[in-house]
Amino acid sequence: MEIRLFQHQDAQQIAQLFHETVREINIGDYSENQVKAWAPDNINFRNWATICAERFTYVADDQGVIAGFGELETNGHIDCFYCHKNYQKMGVGSKIYAAIEAKAYELGINRLYLEASITAKPFFLRMGFSTITEQQVECRGEIFVNYAMEKFLISS
């Protein structure tokens, strides 16, 4: 498995991965209405190609299958971070996160922060993040619980 930067041709696979992961994995922690609001039927509700290209988007490429992806913004915000439903608990997220953290060090970013779902919170705790607060957020008419989390990077 190769961890590499996003390429334009990855956009459709990433959109599908996001949709399927939210609908089939996050349904364990959220209601059906919530996951349908989070991952609407129109998988291109977001311009995946443009947004992923504007950020440091790392993908886990398993011989042409995108096994996961994560987006780092230049201010230290990690936005989308998802592992394919068939690649859960296989170390894919850890590899993507390692690439994001390495890029953050390279860019001189000293604080990473994100909004983690109930599902993702344990992963980010294992990666060394701390929970700032539990939040109630609205998305397409549904209210969700997520967690503002952060990690300070120490330069060596």
Side-chain angles (χ1 to χ4, degrees):
M1 183 158 325
E2 174 192 8
I3 305 300
R4 61 168 174 78
L5 283 168
F6 168 84
Q7 298 167 357
H8 188 78
Q9 64 266 26
D10 299 329
Q12 199 58 35
Q13 260 198 85
I14 283 176
Q16 194 68 42
L17 181 159
F18 169 84
H19 187 267
E20 291 176 4
T21 301
V22 171
R23 293 272 181 113
E24 297 183 39
I25 302 298
N26 296 95
I27 190 72
D29 295 307
Y30 295 92
S31 73
E32 186 173 349
N33 286 343
Q34 287 172 320
V35 297
K36 284 182 175 177
W38 184 355
D41 289 337
N42 171 15
I43 67 171
N44 294 309
F45 71 95
R46 178 185 204 243
N47 188 332
W48 294 97
T50 299
I51 294 169
C52 290
E54 289 172 350
R55 300 169 175 180
F56 294 100
T57 302
Y58 288 92
V59 299
D61 185 337
D62 185 15
Q63 300 177 343
V65 174
I66 304 297
F69 74 102
E71 302 170 351
L72 173 65
E73 298 174 58
T74 56
N75 64 357
H77 183 245
I78 296 173
D79 195 1
C80 286
F81 193 105
Y82 292 89
C83 290
H84 190 288
K85 63 187 176 92
N86 298 334
Y87 287 84
Q88 297 283 312
K89 304 203 183 309
M90 296 173 67
V92 173
S94 298
K95 290 177 180 157
I96 294 167
Y97 177 74
I100 286 174
E101 190 171 289
K103 177 52 85 173
Y105 275 111
E106 182 185 314
L107 296 171
I109 296 170
N110 62 8
R111 176 182 173 260
L112 295 174
Y113 67 101
L114 52 89
E115 299 76 36
S117 66
I118 295 167
T119 316
K121 182 183 177 189
F123 169 80
F124 286 107
L125 288 171
R126 285 194 306 278
M127 296 301 108
F129 281 75
S130 300
T131 303
I132 302 167
T133 189
E134 179 178 306
Q135 308 180 123
Q136 303 251 339
V137 296
E138 188 272 334
C139 176
R140 289 180 268 285
E142 290 292 322
I143 303 296
F144 296 79
V145 168
N146 74 12
Y147 301 90
M149 301 181 78
E150 68 184 357
K151 179 178 181 179
F152 290 93
L153 305 179
I154 313 305
S155 302
S156 50

